[in-house]
Amino acid sequence: MKQAALLLRCSTDSQDYDRQQRDLLPTAKNLGYEVTKDLIFGEYVTGKDDVRKKDRESIVNLKQACKEGKVDAIFINEVSRLSRDSIAGRLFVREFNEQYKVPIFFRDLQQWTIAPETKIKNTYLEQMLGFHFDVAATELKSMKTRFASGKRKNARTGKSIGGVPSIGYTKDNEGTIIIDEEAAKLIKIIFDKYLEKEGTITTVCRYLRGISNIRAWGTGTIGNILRNRAYTGKMEVSITNPDEQDENKRVEKYITTIPIIIEEDTFNKVQKKLDKNRSTQEYTRSKVHLLQKLIKCSDCGKLFSAKTVSSGKSTAYCCVSKQNGINCNLSIALDANKVESIIWNLVKSKLMELNRLGEDEKIKRITAEKIQIQSYIEEINGLELGINKLIKRRNNLISYIENAETEEEIAEIKDRRKKLDKEVNDNKERINHLKKNIEICESNINNHLNNSYTSSILESIESDRNKLKKQIKEFVREILPYPIANSHSVLKVNTTFGIYYILYSSRDKDKQAYYIQDMYAKFFPTDKKFLIIGDKTEIPMCDKISSLARVARTTTDEKEKEEMYRQIEELEPQKIKYPQKETASLKDIYQLNTEYFNNILKKLDQIGIYTYDEMKEMCKSMGFILPFN
């Protein structure tokens, strides 16, 4: 007897899953097919399929069975059970028809895609299926809209929008959130115990474990309960708006009124104690770690921890992911005293630099920053318009798939959609990058307006490690360490002044680190090399050009503006173009700047590519030095 496969799909209802089997098994038998358990492919799937990512598991397994020749026909209960996505559904049918030559029988339509006996393709059905997939996609969108509308209504009337209510609450038969009296008693105990003089999250955990066994009371659970404002009767819920494009869907937030377990006054007292304890726990160690929560692992992305080493004699920042069972390939320990000293000296040098500026220069710089912000905003607006156009072009590919007649045409359409998706993602990355630049510009403006860091104020900050830590955190966003070799490393420091690369070795005989800003050089971790704009003489030249450009943009004197541009033309070095993607490699840079490297750099003493040691010597000669203890 010929072998048939069943393809099942449902959301969360197991009865629907079983019903599909009951409907399809006799259908297959009546048409002369046998179905074995290993040829029943199904899973619980919510929403539509996205072929840009991957096929769902049941489709993958079904395709494999077809490749191995185990399947003579496929039975599906309804068209929507195959897919609720217009493009995915069409592609699935085409693939089974033309690549595997396996007929599909849709029970709801009572039709085959390929006649089992004659092997003639049902072109009429193929066209009709496109219509049915479109209907399924529209129905799904409509259903999501109705669900979202229902959730909004529930949120406004104090009903659950799904999921399990917080501990202390339950739902009645109509879905309204009500108090679970027994569990609510425990919530009140948690808040009361924490507010006791010696109360801590740990002591509350121990007490709860002694009086209640309904769950394993951990510090995380207690901490979340103490921070959960829902117990004051104000529960925040988030609902995704399904009526917007996938790329632009926003989350709507609602405050739902539910029964009160904890009074507002009690909740606020707990928040103050939590904040105070958090601050105290952070600052009452034997030593305050200035860079705590600033250093992030460049491999696994987790924050570095401060660990005592050498029998407690010193402290190092390192990644502890491996100790916690997380895969991480970074093995580097940063001497806390030295790295903290380096980072503070970088921040201090920039603060002193701002302090030396005259009022006229401050005004010029503020004006230049505002002009730059406007330029970034204009570029963002242009990119967003471009994204909308790309999305429309991608959606138009649906009609092309309907008319495609060959595998080559389908492959070409897939490739075009892939390229459009990539272009959309590249534009989004660029927008995020520009938004970060705007934040830096706004911070620079604020620094120019409010800078009053005299020597005496800086000395006062340095005498108090708590103030020092606060000052560093105000200007440093993130530090990413990249190991080079033999205790050498590069620290990528993201600050409100811009991004800096610090070349650091704990064994440096002069006790100095060296730095360069990313507007002059780019570091490529994979290559462990730097790329700069031409030779070293161009770096101070870039500074002068930037200064002239600021004057040219802000002056109202046409003659002065003309003179500034004339000087810029004389000084302007050949610029290197960079790909929009931040993960670009040196190879990408070379491909984008072939003419530059071939015709310009070969004339220079240095070719623009620097090793760690070469960059160190260049920074040293330019005075870009940061001493450490």
Side-chain angles (χ1 to χ4, degrees):
M1 185 177 263
K2 291 181 288 187
Q3 297 294 309
L6 306 186
L7 182 61
L8 314 176
R9 166 186 171 143
C10 63
S11 52
T12 56
D13 189 349
S14 61
Q15 292 182 348
D16 181 38
Y17 189 89
D18 294 336
R19 178 185 61 79
Q20 290 181 51
Q21 284 197 65
R22 290 196 303 270
D23 289 344
L24 290 176
L25 285 172
T27 301
K29 185 177 180 181
N30 291 338
L31 291 173
Y33 290 90
E34 179 185 19
V35 180
T36 56
K37 286 186 178 180
D38 62 313
L39 292 181
I40 298 177
F41 303 96
E43 59 191 302
Y44 296 100
V45 182
T46 301
K48 68 177 183 179
D49 301 296
D50 191 344
V51 292
R52 291 169 294 164
K53 298 175 182 177
K54 63 177 182 179
D55 292 335
R56 63 182 196 260
E57 187 178 352
S58 56
I59 294 285
V60 172
N61 294 334
L62 177 56
K63 286 181 179 179
Q64 186 59 37
C66 291
K67 286 179 184 178
E68 295 172 0
K70 296 180 179 178
V71 179
D72 297 308
I74 300 168
F75 285 80
I76 301 174
N77 206 39
E78 303 169 11
V79 175
S80 62
R81 300 300 92 186
L82 175 59
S83 179
R84 285 179 172 171
D85 180 78
S86 297
I87 290 180
R90 289 170 168 86
L91 290 176
F92 288 151
V93 172
R94 283 288 183 89
E95 193 167 0
F96 283 113
N97 276 5
E98 298 177 12
Q99 185 172 339
Y100 304 117
K101 311 293 185 185
V102 176
I104 301 175
F105 184 81
F106 289 98
R107 180 179 171 275
D108 58 335
L109 302 179
Q110 289 293 305
Q111 290 197 55
W112 291 94
T113 57
I114 299 174
E117 303 301 330
T118 63
K119 303 299 181 183
I120 297 175
K121 188 165 62 173
N122 188 342
T123 54
Y124 171 75
L125 176 62
E126 191 170 338
Q127 293 175 355
M128 286 299 297
L129 285 174
F131 168 75
H132 284 285
F133 288 131
D134 290 339
V135 170
T138 303
E139 182 186 356
L140 175 64
K141 186 176 182 299
S142 175
M143 187 167 56
K144 287 184 176 180
T145 300
R146 292 196 301 271
F147 285 162
S149 177
K151 286 181 178 180
R152 293 187 189 102
K153 181 180 178 182
N154 286 349
R156 288 191 289 264
T157 57
K159 291 185 178 181
S160 171
I161 66 167
V164 179
S166 300
I167 303 170
Y169 292 103
T170 185
K171 294 183 287 187
D172 63 14
N173 294 333
E174 296 181 354
T176 302
I177 297 176
I178 59 175
I179 291 177
D180 179 337
E181 296 297 340
E182 291 302 315
K185 290 177 183 177
L186 295 176
I187 298 300
K188 291 177 180 178
I189 288 172
I190 289 170
F191 277 81
D192 291 341
K193 284 291 180 184
Y194 183 73
L195 284 177
E196 290 179 357
K197 186 176 181 180
E198 301 297 325
T200 65
I201 290 178
T202 303
T203 59
V204 174
C205 281
R206 290 171 183 163
Y207 183 80
L208 263 290
R209 288 168 188 161
I211 65 170
S212 170
N213 59 1
I214 64 171
R215 61 173 52 241
W217 297 98
T219 54
T221 301
I222 299 299
N224 290 335
I225 288 173
L226 293 172
R227 288 289 192 189
N228 191 350
R229 188 169 288 277
Y231 293 118
T232 65
K234 300 172 184 175
M235 181 177 71
E236 182 180 284
V237 296
S238 300
I239 300 171
T240 302
N241 188 345
D243 297 325
E244 296 176 344
Q245 292 286 345
D246 288 350
E247 293 79 5
N248 302 314
K249 283 183 180 176
R250 59 188 172 86
V251 176
E252 301 170 355
K253 295 187 181 295
Y254 293 86
I255 301 298
T256 299
T257 301
I258 60 176
I260 298 172
I261 294 178
I262 301 298
E263 294 298 328
E264 188 83 26
D265 182 58
T266 301
F267 182 82
N268 290 335
K269 287 179 181 178
V270 166
Q271 303 316 299
K272 287 182 180 179
K273 184 174 181 180
L274 283 168
D275 293 337
K276 182 180 178 181
N277 282 355
R278 183 179 181 183
S279 148
T280 303
Q281 290 166 5
E282 190 170 69
Y283 293 134
T284 55
R285 297 185 178 99
S286 57
K287 183 177 181 180
V288 176
H289 303 305
L290 303 183
L291 305 182
Q292 184 185 10
K293 296 185 180 180
L294 287 178
I295 306 178
K296 184 182 289 186
C297 179
S298 58
D299 185 72
C300 69
K302 300 296 183 182
L303 290 172
F304 270 32
S305 296
K307 296 289 183 182
T308 54
V309 294
S310 303
S311 302
K313 295 179 181 179
S314 60
T315 306
Y317 291 105
C318 55
C319 181
V320 295
S321 289
K322 284 185 179 178
Q323 300 173 27
N324 295 328
I326 299 171
N327 184 36
C328 181
N329 298 312
L330 189 70
S331 179
I332 184 174
L334 302 174
D335 185 293
N337 287 334
K338 295 175 181 177
V339 175
E340 289 172 355
S341 177
I342 290 167
I343 299 299
W344 169 241
N345 282 327
L346 174 66
V347 172
K348 184 166 70 170
S349 68
K350 296 303 164 185
L351 293 177
M352 294 298 289
E353 187 179 301
L354 290 175
N355 213 42
R356 289 192 291 268
L357 296 176
E359 288 302 315
D360 290 342
E361 181 61 24
K362 284 184 180 180
I363 292 172
K364 286 180 180 179
R365 292 198 178 192
I366 289 171
T367 303
E369 295 289 356
K370 288 181 177 179
I371 291 172
Q372 187 62 67
I373 288 174
Q374 186 58 39
S375 174
Y376 288 145
I377 290 173
E378 289 172 0
E379 185 176 350
I380 288 172
N381 292 337
L383 288 169
E384 288 176 341
L385 287 173
I387 288 173
N388 291 334
K389 290 179 180 178
L390 290 168
I391 291 172
K392 287 180 181 178
R393 286 171 58 190
R394 190 187 66 190
N395 292 340
N396 288 338
L397 291 177
I398 294 175
S399 60
Y400 293 126
I401 285 183
E402 289 179 344
N403 300 320
E405 296 180 354
T406 65
E407 285 294 327
E408 289 75 15
E409 289 178 331
I410 293 173
E412 183 183 352
I413 292 170
K414 282 185 177 180
D415 185 56
R416 286 168 62 186
R417 177 158 180 165
K418 185 177 179 181
K419 288 179 180 177
L420 289 172
D421 286 335
K422 182 180 181 302
E423 197 171 345
V424 168
N425 290 332
D426 287 345
N427 284 354
K428 286 182 177 180
E429 283 187 17
R430 177 63 179 167
I431 288 173
N432 290 334
H433 178 71
L434 291 172
K435 286 180 178 178
K436 289 178 182 177
N437 287 348
I438 289 174
E439 289 178 6
I440 291 174
C441 289
E442 290 173 340
S443 178
N444 289 340
I445 291 172
N446 184 60
N447 291 336
H448 289 311
L449 290 172
N450 304 303
N451 184 47
S452 58
Y453 293 95
T454 62
S455 297
S456 58
I457 290 176
L458 290 173
E459 287 175 5
S460 172
I461 291 172
E462 289 175 329
S463 65
D464 186 332
R465 287 183 67 84
N466 290 333
K467 290 181 180 178
L468 194 56
K469 179 174 184 177
K470 182 179 179 181
Q471 199 66 57
I472 288 173
K473 285 196 169 184
E474 185 176 338
F475 293 100
V476 178
R477 305 280 180 81
E478 181 182 74
I479 302 170
L480 293 170
Y482 296 97
I484 303 298
N486 302 325
S487 79
H488 294 66
S489 58
V490 172
L491 307 179
K492 182 179 180 181
V493 185
N494 188 349
T495 75
T496 57
F497 306 108
I499 296 174
Y500 292 84
Y501 297 111
I502 295 178
L503 292 78
Y504 160 71
S505 171
S506 59
R507 299 176 185 174
D508 189 274
K509 62 180 180 179
D510 298 321
K511 292 189 175 181
Q512 293 177 339
Y514 309 89
Y515 71 94
I516 190 164
Q517 196 169 359
D518 80 330
M519 66 184 293
Y520 303 135
K522 299 284 184 182
F523 176 67
F524 294 85
T526 304
D527 305 281
K528 296 185 178 180
K529 291 180 181 178
F530 291 85
L531 176 67
I532 70 164
I533 303 172
D535 65 359
K536 63 185 180 183
T537 61
E538 291 183 349
I539 291 180
M541 195 183 297
C542 286
D543 274 335
K544 191 167 184 180
I545 289 169
S546 298
S547 178
L548 291 169
R550 288 192 190 98
V551 176
R553 289 191 187 110
T554 56
T555 183
T556 57
D557 188 325
E558 290 300 322
K559 288 187 178 180
E560 184 181 19
K561 183 178 291 188
E562 185 178 339
E563 175 61 21
M564 293 302 103
Y565 281 129
R566 186 189 65 76
Q567 292 185 42
I568 289 172
E569 276 187 355
E570 292 177 358
L571 293 170
E572 183 75 67
Q574 178 72 33
K575 297 294 185 183
I576 291 179
K577 299 174 184 175
Y578 293 99
Q580 287 188 1
K581 58 181 182 179
E582 294 187 8
T583 55
S585 67
L586 280 173
K587 184 179 178 182
D588 297 323
I589 302 294
Y590 269 114
Q591 290 175 347
L592 198 59
N593 296 273
T594 304
E595 182 180 354
Y596 176 77
F597 285 102
N598 290 343
N599 301 329
I600 305 297
L601 287 180
K602 65 183 180 182
K603 300 176 183 178
L604 303 173
D605 294 334
Q606 301 293 336
I607 63 168
I609 304 298
Y610 280 62
T611 64
Y612 177 94
D613 291 330
E614 290 169 342
M615 179 59 75
K616 171 185 168 182
E617 290 303 316
M618 194 203 77
C619 292
K620 192 173 182 179
S621 67
M622 299 302 299
F624 298 158
I625 296 170
L626 297 169
F628 58 80
N629 300 326

